[in-house]
Amino acid sequence: MAADPGLVRRWLLLLLLHLVLAAALKFPPGAGALSISIRPVDNITVLIKPGPLAQAERFCRMCAGRNCFSERKIQPGEQFTFSFECSMPEKYWVLVVDRYIDCMSRHCPFEDVLLQPSGLPKLNRTFIWDVKAGRKDALVLKFATWLRQVEPGDACHDQVAYKIGSRFATNTVNIGAFCRNGPVSRVKVQGEVIMTLQLPWDSKLNTSGFKIESRDSIKRLCIIESTFLSESSSTLMSANYPLGFPEDELMTWQFIIPPTLRASVFFLNYTKSNCERKEQRLEYILPGYDNPEVYSLKDAQPMSIPGNFSLSLQGCDQDDQNPGALRLLFKVDVHYPKNEDNVSFTIDLRREDMNVTIYTNTQQSGSHSENTPACSICRSTRHCGPNVTLASGDLYSIMILCHEKDIPNNVKMIAEKSLACWKSRTCQNRVFPVAIPQSLLGLPVPLHRFIWKITAPEDTNIELKAPTLKLQQHIPNQEHLCRGSYSYAINGTSPGKTLTFGIYCPGGAIEKIKIRNNVTISLKTFGKGFDDAVRNQDLKLVFVPAMKEDCIFTVTPAPKSKVYLETPNWVDGLPPYMNVYWNISIPQKKIAQLQFFSERMDVTCDKAWAFVHVKEQRPNAEEISRRNDESLPRTIDMHHNFWVNISNCKPCPKKFLSMQFAVTIADRKSALAVIVGAVAGVLAVVTVIGIAVCCIKKKKKKGNPQTPMVGVYNTNVNTQLPTKPGVFKKGRKNNESHVYAVIDDTMVYGHLLDNLSGPGNAEIGVYQPFSGAMSSRPPSPPPISSFRKMSKLSTTEESSPPMTDNETYTFAHRALEPLKSNGDTHVSGNGEVDTSLLGKKELENSVL
């Protein structure tokens, strides 16, 4: 019986399906033949090993022909062909690719690192690059896709994870674990680098994502560089975190911050180690600071940092018995500043030979506050900070990130310009303006200081002129202050020393200052209205032939003005042997009163003498000179232009020479009136004293009965007291009764005069005063004892009756009577009679 053809075809189809199904069950999809081939020069090893499930031999064997393996390591120059006896080997097996790179020699591959070998099976893969470098060398790893640091054990959302380590001998330090898409753009690692990349089985990434950029020297464990492009935050941690930071190591984090953003640092977790030597600390390099700012772990960290900065962690030598652990976990938050404006302007220095620095006041405070953010100055998107320096020869666009109303108080500008004379024949007697360039006026940033540095050769000196405004010297202790919107500080500079000539401002009497040294002029602004006031400044510089004097001031005071002046280097005193001159002019029909404010020069000299000389500028003028040990005149009236010269000695230590004086201009008439008034006052005082003395004497004569009356000697009266004839045995020639011990200068003696008609008009003669020694007290008659000793009268003389109180001790005119000579009278050559003295007893009994 013939078979049904349709039934046969059905049976054949079922048989074919069965065979296909059996083959499918016997040979699953993942069991196809795989091959891994490694070239001998690649220095790569590949390890195929079971994954974390550890059940590969049971559910998915790896076989090569009839041989099956629990793991297989493929060496350089080897090819391995194998297959998995399961459909999903990625669940049971992993690949570890280890590559060795030698950077000890010159052949270090500074290029992108490739994922080798190619054609690997789709398993979870771990690539390890062991890059060998010298102990003092550092390899710079640059990432194409920037990284984000995570704590150990944290998973990356795309399962692509990096791990960076460093190996020293047998010790390995974990720099950190990272995921993709973060701010970490570079990592510099010292010594041998262990770089690890983990990829999932289904990753389509065909590059490593980093390159060995260069070899450097950093003298620290590592440097992690983070670059922020917009508002974001990043968490970073110390090496070996959460384990302890390596002992006595140093690592650094660098942060690149856009000019429009600010950065703040927050510590999330930290612990300290037990230090035996040194101290663990943090060091910040903040924008605009040359030196590190040191913080401790417990301090509040910087906030609102404008611009790039770095943070370093320094470990210490730990206690062997109880080392503890230094660990740090922190966060950097990058954000837009609050309450800030962007103020933009340009500064044109293409035709100006000067340098300009714009800075904020906060750079010297050493502190940052979240509530008071510092201003930031930018001249490009990558050059921002609290200060910016602009060189001459270019046009600059400046942007200030700060609240506009805070700019005048928080942002300042300093400029510096050099004026040099290299050849005297080309620059002597040329006039150079010392003025602020117009390009620095009217800017949003106020000019705080402008400095001119002036240099000249040895045969040339420097003269500063202010012919219109003139200069006033700032002398605080005399309350003579500069009150305008700017002032000049003038200093002399020479090798090894700096000489301060003082602070000056417009509106005074100093027209010129001639100086031997090189000069630095510093214009400082204060107050408002500077831009308007400085447009009229007329200070000029002239290079003049050299002079012998150290410094000459030319002073031209205005009428009825008072000019205050002081010696240079007021605080430290004039340098030894320095000579300073003031050439002072006096307006017509005026006089000048020169006044020194100290009684002496107040300097103690070790060698030589210090002098003050004053001399009028006229022929045969007398020079007034005082040495340092002599008193200075308080006031000197000068009628002509005059010089004041102060020359120093070599002072003793701490006994320096500093002097101040003033010149007052007054009218000649008023000065003459003062002189006449002074003389009249002196004469009035003398007159009053004379009248008082006369009154006192007269009162004493009237009130003292013992004071003898002063009479007028008159020879026309017979002064012979009643006595007996023949009492005096000796004549006047043989008698010493006419000798006086004392002649009272209050008595008036004179030549004998002619007879007068009336007895009350006795004529008085004038006598020369006594030329011997006199007492300061009014003179008085000598005591009686003196007469007793000097009288040589005979003991046989009889006493005359004493004079009574009512008898006047004067001489009156009487009628002349002929007298007989008994030896007791003396007749002068003109017939006048001179009586002899009183007898001894009459004298003793008389009432004086």
Side-chain angles (χ1 to χ4, degrees):
M1 179 176 171
D4 186 359
L7 182 61
V8 173
R9 287 195 296 270
R10 284 196 294 271
W11 278 103
L12 290 175
L13 182 60
L14 290 173
L15 179 62
L16 180 62
L17 291 175
H18 178 73
L19 292 175
V20 171
L21 181 61
L25 293 174
K26 186 173 182 180
F27 302 101
L34 302 171
S35 178
I36 298 176
S37 178
I38 302 176
R39 298 182 304 172
V41 296
D42 286 342
N43 290 328
I44 297 175
T45 62
V46 178
L47 176 64
I48 306 174
K49 65 177 184 178
L53 294 179
Q55 297 185 8
E57 295 181 5
R58 180 179 176 184
F59 297 103
C60 187
R61 293 192 302 171
M62 177 182 63
C63 300
R66 295 181 179 181
N67 299 322
C68 294
F69 303 91
S70 60
E71 69 176 29
R72 181 69 163 84
K73 188 173 186 178
I74 306 168
Q75 299 292 339
E78 184 181 355
Q79 182 176 359
F80 178 59
T81 302
F82 63 98
S83 63
F84 294 107
E85 294 182 349
C86 65
S87 61
M88 300 180 68
E90 66 273 9
K91 290 184 178 181
Y92 306 101
W93 296 92
V94 295
L95 281 173
V96 178
V97 180
D98 195 341
R99 181 184 176 187
Y100 174 79
I101 300 176
D102 182 12
C103 282
M104 296 285 290
S105 63
R106 299 180 180 178
H107 303 291
C108 182
F110 298 124
E111 59 188 9
D112 293 333
V113 177
L114 304 178
L115 293 179
Q116 293 176 329
S118 60
L120 295 176
K122 291 186 177 182
L123 303 175
N124 293 331
R125 288 155 287 171
T126 299
F127 293 89
I128 301 174
W129 293 272
D130 187 350
V131 187
K132 189 72 173 179
R135 178 66 179 86
K136 297 182 179 180
D137 292 334
L139 297 175
V140 181
L141 308 178
K142 182 180 179 180
F143 299 94
T145 302
W146 296 347
L147 306 181
R148 172 176 55 90
Q149 189 170 9
V150 295
E151 295 188 44
D154 290 353
C156 300
H157 69 278
D158 60 357
Q159 297 183 355
V160 178
Y162 291 88
K163 184 179 179 181
I164 304 174
S166 178
R167 181 181 297 156
F168 299 98
T170 59
N171 298 323
T172 301
V173 178
N174 178 27
I175 303 300
F178 302 86
C179 299
R180 295 197 299 173
N181 299 319
V184 178
S185 55
R186 283 184 179 87
V187 176
K188 301 179 182 179
V189 183
Q190 188 177 38
E192 186 176 351
V193 178
I194 308 298
M195 182 70 184
T196 301
L197 170 62
Q198 293 181 345
L199 296 176
W201 69 273
D202 59 349
S203 174
K204 296 181 181 180
L205 189 66
N206 55 10
T207 62
S208 66
F210 76 96
K211 65 182 293 186
I212 302 175
E213 186 179 43
S214 62
R215 183 166 44 203
D216 203 349
S217 177
I218 58 176
K219 297 181 181 180
R220 61 196 65 206
L221 175 64
C222 65
I223 298 175
I224 299 176
E225 179 184 281
S226 298
T227 302
F228 295 86
L229 299 178
S230 61
E231 280 190 313
S232 62
S233 63
S234 178
T235 301
L236 299 163
M237 57 208 74
S238 58
N240 273 351
Y241 190 87
L243 303 178
F245 186 70
E247 183 178 6
D248 196 24
E249 276 292 352
L250 172 65
M251 74 176 294
T252 298
W253 295 267
Q254 290 181 338
F255 302 96
I256 309 301
I257 309 298
T260 57
L261 300 177
R262 300 289 182 268
S264 300
V265 180
F266 303 94
F267 282 4
L268 304 178
N269 184 30
Y270 69 88
T271 60
K272 296 182 179 180
S273 59
N274 297 319
C275 296
E276 190 175 70
R277 290 187 301 273
K278 301 181 182 179
E279 284 294 333
Q280 53 209 359
R281 68 183 188 274
L282 298 167
E283 291 183 352
Y284 285 90
I285 300 295
L286 298 172
Y289 290 81
D290 296 329
N291 299 319
E293 294 291 311
V294 179
Y295 287 71
S296 69
L297 290 168
K298 64 181 180 180
D299 290 338
Q301 303 306 306
M303 307 288 289
S304 298
I305 303 172
N308 305 337
F309 70 100
S310 67
L311 165 62
S312 297
L313 175 65
Q314 173 68 64
C316 63
D317 293 335
Q318 300 172 354
D319 187 354
D320 294 335
Q321 302 299 324
N322 183 21
L326 172 62
R327 59 176 67 94
L328 174 62
L329 176 67
F330 66 97
K331 176 183 178 182
V332 176
D333 182 38
V334 178
H335 53 86
Y336 281 102
K338 300 177 182 179
N339 300 323
E340 285 190 3
D341 299 326
N342 294 342
V343 179
S344 301
F345 57 94
T346 59
I347 296 181
D348 190 358
L349 301 181
R350 289 174 294 184
R351 297 182 180 179
E352 300 291 347
D353 184 16
M354 63 181 177
N355 297 327
V356 177
T357 298
I358 305 174
Y359 68 95
T360 61
N361 291 331
T362 54
Q363 68 171 334
Q364 299 176 355
S365 65
S367 63
H368 299 265
S369 171
E370 188 175 14
N371 297 325
T372 57
C375 296
S376 182
I377 301 104
C378 308
R379 63 180 176 91
S380 68
T381 57
R382 294 185 62 87
H383 293 84
C384 293
N387 62 69
V388 171
T389 298
L390 312 176
S392 60
D394 206 348
L395 176 67
Y396 296 93
S397 296
I398 304 299
M399 180 173 62
I400 299 178
L401 305 178
C402 190
H403 202 287
E404 188 172 3
K405 67 181 180 61
D406 295 332
I407 290 179
N409 295 327
N410 294 334
V411 185
K412 304 293 182 182
M413 181 167 52
I414 292 179
E416 183 177 305
K417 185 174 185 177
S418 296
L419 296 172
C421 173
W422 302 113
K423 295 182 179 180
S424 57
R425 59 190 179 93
T426 60
C427 57
Q428 274 191 8
N429 299 321
R430 290 183 57 190
V431 179
F432 299 87
V434 181
I436 304 296
Q438 294 295 322
S439 59
L440 299 185
L441 299 177
L443 299 178
V445 178
L447 178 65
H448 176 61
R449 194 182 299 272
F450 197 104
I451 301 171
W452 292 270
K453 292 187 175 181
I454 306 170
T455 56
E458 293 184 358
D459 62 344
T460 302
N461 291 159
I462 295 167
E463 182 179 83
L464 302 176
K465 301 171 59 177
T468 304
L469 297 179
K470 301 181 184 178
L471 298 177
Q472 165 190 326
Q473 196 163 12
H474 179 76
I475 306 178
N477 66 334
Q478 299 295 335
E479 297 184 358
H480 192 64
L481 308 178
C482 288
R483 303 186 183 276
S485 59
Y486 67 96
S487 65
Y488 299 101
I490 302 177
N491 297 321
T493 58
S494 59
K497 66 176 182 179
T498 299
L499 182 63
T500 302
F501 285 93
I503 297 176
Y504 303 85
C505 55
I510 301 175
E511 186 174 345
K512 298 178 184 178
I513 305 176
K514 191 180 294 185
I515 303 171
R516 287 182 60 181
N517 307 76
N518 294 331
V519 174
T520 297
I521 304 174
S522 178
L523 181 146
K524 182 180 179 181
T525 65
F526 44 90
K528 298 181 179 180
F530 165 73
D531 283 2
D532 295 333
V534 80
R535 297 179 192 275
N536 299 322
Q537 63 181 147
D538 69 336
L539 188 63
K540 294 177 175 58
L541 162 69
V542 183
F543 293 103
V544 296
M547 61 181 180
K548 295 181 180 180
E549 297 78 13
D550 293 305
C551 179
I552 299 177
F553 294 85
T554 300
V555 185
T556 55
K560 297 183 180 180
S561 65
K562 187 172 185 179
V563 181
Y564 291 84
L565 302 166
E566 70 179 14
T567 53
N569 230 39
W570 168 256
V571 175
D572 298 324
L574 275 180
Y577 308 116
M578 183 175 181
N579 268 304
V580 185
Y581 291 80
W582 288 264
N583 181 7
I584 303 174
S585 300
I586 303 177
Q588 293 183 353
K589 299 181 181 180
K590 306 289 182 181
I591 65 168
Q593 296 173 349
L594 175 63
Q595 177 187 4
F596 293 97
F597 295 139
S598 57
E599 295 182 359
R600 293 176 179 270
M601 299 178 72
D602 293 333
V603 61
T604 302
C605 293
D606 184 29
K607 293 183 179 179
W609 298 94
F611 285 92
V612 172
H613 301 280
V614 180
K615 188 176 182 179
E616 289 186 336
Q617 300 175 20
R618 60 180 177 83
N620 302 321
E622 181 182 358
E623 181 177 297
I624 301 172
S625 179
R626 293 293 186 273
R627 210 166 57 184
N628 58 281
D629 59 345
E630 298 175 338
S631 297
L632 294 172
R634 297 294 293 179
T635 303
I636 307 174
D637 290 336
M638 311 301 292
H639 295 77
H640 301 82
N641 298 345
F642 62 99
W643 287 96
V644 176
N645 166 235
I646 298 177
S647 59
N648 198 12
C649 59
K650 182 182 179 182
C652 296
K654 298 182 180 180
K655 298 293 183 180
F656 51 83
L657 174 59
S658 294
M659 293 186 63
Q660 294 177 336
F661 58 94
V663 177
T664 303
I665 303 300
D667 295 331
R668 286 182 181 270
K669 293 182 179 179
S670 61
L672 182 60
V674 171
I675 296 173
V676 172
V679 173
V682 172
L683 293 176
V685 171
V686 171
T687 303
V688 170
I689 293 174
I691 294 173
V693 170
C694 293
C695 293
I696 291 172
K697 288 184 178 181
K698 185 174 182 181
K699 185 176 181 181
K700 284 186 178 180
K701 292 175 183 178
K702 290 182 179 180
N704 189 356
Q706 295 180 354
T707 303
M709 301 295 292
V710 178
V712 179
Y713 191 82
N714 192 338
T715 58
N716 294 328
V717 179
N718 183 10
T719 58
Q720 178 81 29
L721 291 179
T723 183
K724 296 179 180 181
V727 173
F728 292 97
K729 301 298 182 180
K730 295 182 181 180
R732 186 170 180 84
K733 294 182 180 179
N734 299 323
N735 194 339
E736 296 180 355
S737 59
H738 63 284
V739 179
Y740 286 80
V742 177
I743 301 177
D744 196 335
D745 65 351
T746 60
M747 300 180 64
V748 181
Y749 296 90
H751 297 288
L752 297 178
L753 303 175
D754 295 333
N755 294 335
L756 297 178
S757 58
N761 295 324
E763 295 185 6
I764 302 174
V766 180
Y767 291 83
Q768 295 294 328
F770 177 62
S771 61
M774 297 295 295
S775 171
S776 59
R777 297 175 61 185
S780 59
I784 298 175
S785 58
S786 300
F787 287 94
R788 222 182 254 127
K789 293 179 181 179
M790 298 181 63
S791 297
K792 297 183 179 180
L793 299 177
S794 172
T795 55
T796 58
E797 293 177 349
E798 296 181 4
S799 299
S800 301
M803 293 181 64
T804 58
D805 293 338
N806 59 356
E807 293 182 85
T808 305
Y809 187 57
T810 57
F811 301 94
H813 289 279
R814 299 283 182 90
L816 291 178
E817 295 180 358
L819 298 176
K820 295 182 180 180
S821 178
N822 59 358
D824 296 327
T825 59
H826 174 71
V827 180
S828 62
N830 57 3
E832 296 176 348
V833 179
D834 184 11
T835 62
S836 62
L837 294 177
L838 293 177
K840 178 179 179 182
K841 291 184 179 181
E842 285 82 2
L843 181 61
E844 292 176 352
N845 296 328
S846 64
V847 180
L848 297 177

